[in-house]
Amino acid sequence: MKITNVLGLSFLFFAFIGTSFPEAVHAKDAAAVLDVFGHEVQAGARYLIVAPSTDNTTTLAVTINGQVLCNSDVILSTLNESLPITFSPVIQSTDSVIREGTHLNVNFAGPSAMCLMGGVTPMWKIRFSTTLKGYIVTTGGVDRLNRFKITKYEGDNSFYQLSFCPMSEPFCECSCVPVGVNGDKNLVPGAGPLLVMFEPDE
């Protein structure tokens, strides 16, 4: 009876580790995310998130709807309005490579003095918009509490997709949700996935 109890507790312990820290278990086996030139995307380096337009005549990019990085919604606009972002793994790895499926913090690079004074960050997060009556991607996130991930887009291997990964309680397998764009160009969770690539910001 005691042996059965010990085995049961051991199973639950390892199940907790597997569900709570999947990136720590599988990160070494995951493929590196590549930029538009085929180079490995690096943590802390500056990139533009770019996407093709629906008619493939222009390049779109992620930027903000407003003047201040720390209090603005994230939108898709033309490339000349784009802002660089940085990625950082929620759980630090042994190298600086960003890998597919790893939980990430996403930040706009270069926070303004106003953000720092207000104790607000240019980190991406999800909030409910009463105007749009739905959840949108915005800024002002908190480290480790606002997790995203990058995976290959199944329909076209030359593109990636972003997903939002809600925090999960122990033993809860909460699914990550693809990030897309609504009719107002806001980045939103739960929409059809947005096809993106990552261009180094030289």
Side-chain angles (χ1 to χ4, degrees), residues 116-138:
L116 296 176
M117 289 175 60
V120 186
T121 73
M123 182 181 294
W124 289 17
K125 70 174 185 179
I126 300 296
R127 75 169 179 87
F128 185 81
S129 169
T130 54
T131 304
L132 299 175
K133 295 181 173 57
Y135 288 94
I136 61 174
V137 180
T138 187

Side-chain angles (χ1 to χ4, degrees), residues 27 30-34 39-44 47 87-89 91-100 102 104:
V33 176
L34 304 179
H39 302 144
E40 294 177 340
V41 170
Q42 301 291 314
Y47 295 91
F87 300 109
S88 58
I91 294 180
Q92 296 302 316
S93 60
T94 55
D95 58 25
S96 60
V97 177
I98 297 299
R99 301 188 181 278
E100 293 181 35
T102 300
L104 304 168

Side-chain angles (χ1 to χ4, degrees), residues 116-200:
L116 296 176
M117 289 175 60
V120 186
T121 73
M123 182 181 294
W124 289 17
K125 70 174 185 179
I126 300 296
R127 75 169 179 87
F128 185 81
S129 169
T130 54
T131 304
L132 299 175
K133 295 181 173 57
Y135 288 94
I136 61 174
V137 180
T138 187
T139 55
V142 178
D143 185 23
R144 294 177 176 266
L145 297 182
N146 301 276
R147 307 178 308 176
F148 292 81
K149 74 175 182 179
I150 302 169
T151 52
K152 275 287 189 183
Y153 179 66
E154 293 182 0
D156 187 335
N157 250 354
S158 59
F159 290 98
Y160 291 94
Q161 70 179 49
L162 295 167
S163 296
F164 170 68
C165 301
M167 290 292 292
S168 60
E169 298 295 331
F171 312 117
C172 167
E173 296 183 4
C174 300
S175 299
C176 297
V177 181
V179 171
V181 178
N182 65 13
D184 296 313
K185 299 298 183 183
N186 291 86
L187 265 64
V188 296
L194 174 67
L195 280 63
V196 297
M197 300 180 78
F198 307 103
E199 181 179 320

Side-chain angles (χ1 to χ4, degrees), residues 1-143:
M1 188 68 168
K2 290 183 178 179
I3 294 176
T4 304
N5 290 339
V6 170
L7 289 174
L9 289 173
S10 298
F11 173 79
L12 290 175
F13 174 73
F14 286 111
F16 170 75
I17 292 176
T19 56
S20 299
F21 308 105
E23 60 273 59
V25 176
H26 302 295
K28 292 182 180 179
D29 301 326
V33 176
L34 304 179
D35 65 21
V36 294
F37 302 111
H39 302 144
E40 294 177 340
V41 170
Q42 301 291 314
R46 293 159 59 108
Y47 295 91
L48 301 178
I49 299 179
V50 296
S53 64
T54 53
D55 58 7
N56 293 319
T57 59
T58 59
T59 301
L60 304 176
V62 169
T63 185
I64 56 170
N65 183 19
Q67 301 298 317
V68 183
L69 288 178
C70 52
N71 288 300
S72 295
D73 301 332
V74 182
I75 63 171
L76 198 64
S77 187
T78 55
L79 185 60
N80 62 349
E81 296 176 329
S82 62
L83 291 173
I85 54 90
T86 61
F87 300 109
S88 58
V90 170
I91 294 180
Q92 296 302 316
S93 60
T94 55
D95 58 25
S96 60
V97 177
I98 297 299
R99 301 188 181 278
E100 293 181 35
T102 300
H103 288 158
L104 304 168
N105 296 316
V106 183
N107 283 274
F108 280 114
S112 67
M114 187 179 296
C115 293
L116 296 176
M117 289 175 60
V120 186
T121 73
M123 182 181 294
W124 289 17
K125 70 174 185 179
I126 300 296
R127 75 169 179 87
F128 185 81
S129 169
T130 54
T131 304
L132 299 175
K133 295 181 173 57
Y135 288 94
I136 61 174
V137 180
T138 187
T139 55
V142 178
D143 185 23

